[in-house]
Amino acid sequence: MKIKELPEVKLIFIRRTGAYGPENQQLMETFKAWLKENDLFNEATTILGIAQDNPETTVPENCRYDVGLVVSEFREFDDSRISKTVIQAGKYALFTVEHTTQAVEQFWQNLPNVLNESNVILDVSRPIIERYQYKMIMTHLCEFCVPIQSYK
């Protein structure tokens, strides 16, 4: 775990609403295909996956999952699925994880204990972000950016 202040980023994204699960992975694959079709998948690519809702407090059919591309400037696309947002700067605990079902499940299971043992306080007002930089995608790694209020 590393603690880092992440800068504000502009994000173009596609959202799906429904229970979290395999459909989120399918959205990621659909989005990567869209990036390739639009010549946006290259060594500078950073993809974010953002579960906007806590499935423990939001009914499954209302859970929102966004998959997006960090961009330097917004531009228009001839695709009604594409939305835009700005993710504010903030302090995050960063975790690099193998991009396998088992490793990701283990990350989620261990996260509360790791934060507690590290005296890190989660900022529940912001979502946890999955970050996939091009070099990580190519080596089957992902990074979880966990928003924090404070740490000791």
Side-chain angles (χ1 to χ4, degrees):
M1 174 180 76
K2 292 185 225 172
I3 305 294
K4 192 170 181 182
E5 180 81 22
L6 297 182
E8 175 182 282
V9 296
K10 293 176 175 70
L11 190 74
I12 59 169
F13 68 96
I14 297 176
R15 171 172 289 167
R16 84 168 279 280
T17 303
Y20 295 147
E23 292 85 357
N24 290 1
Q25 184 178 358
Q26 180 56 47
L27 179 62
M28 180 67 76
E29 295 307 315
T30 298
F31 189 72
K32 285 194 288 190
W34 181 86
L35 291 176
K36 290 172 184 172
E37 290 167 13
N38 287 278
D39 294 324
L40 296 171
F41 191 75
N42 55 52
E43 291 180 6
T45 297
T46 298
I47 298 172
L48 304 182
I50 307 171
Q52 294 288 355
D53 301 292
N54 181 341
E56 294 177 1
T57 57
T58 302
V59 294
E61 60 268 17
N62 291 339
C63 288
R64 299 164 298 157
Y65 185 72
D66 300 338
V67 175
L69 174 70
V70 173
V71 295
S72 57
E73 295 297 328
F74 289 127
R75 66 179 226 222
E76 295 302 317
F77 293 95
D78 190 24
D79 189 325
S80 62
R81 300 173 299 171
I82 302 297
S83 298
K84 302 172 190 169
T85 192
V86 174
I87 299 174
Q88 298 303 316
K91 197 170 300 284
Y92 289 83
L94 306 179
F95 300 84
T96 301
V97 177
E98 283 185 54
H99 197 228
T100 65
T101 301
Q102 183 179 4
V104 170
E105 286 175 0
Q106 186 174 3
F107 163 80
W108 285 111
Q109 289 171 355
N110 295 339
L111 181 61
N113 291 336
V114 170
L115 294 178
N116 188 44
E117 291 169 5
S118 302
N119 293 316
V120 172
I121 299 172
L122 180 67
D123 181 350
V124 296
S125 70
R126 298 182 288 148
I128 294 173
I129 298 171
E130 304 162 42
R131 183 164 66 172
Y132 304 90
Q133 294 172 322
Y134 181 84
K135 65 183 179 207
M136 295 181 103
I137 294 169
M138 302 322 269
T139 57
H140 305 289
L141 295 173
C142 66
E143 189 171 42
F144 285 91
C145 307
V146 179
I148 62 174
Q149 291 179 358
S150 63
Y151 66 98
K152 294 181 183 180

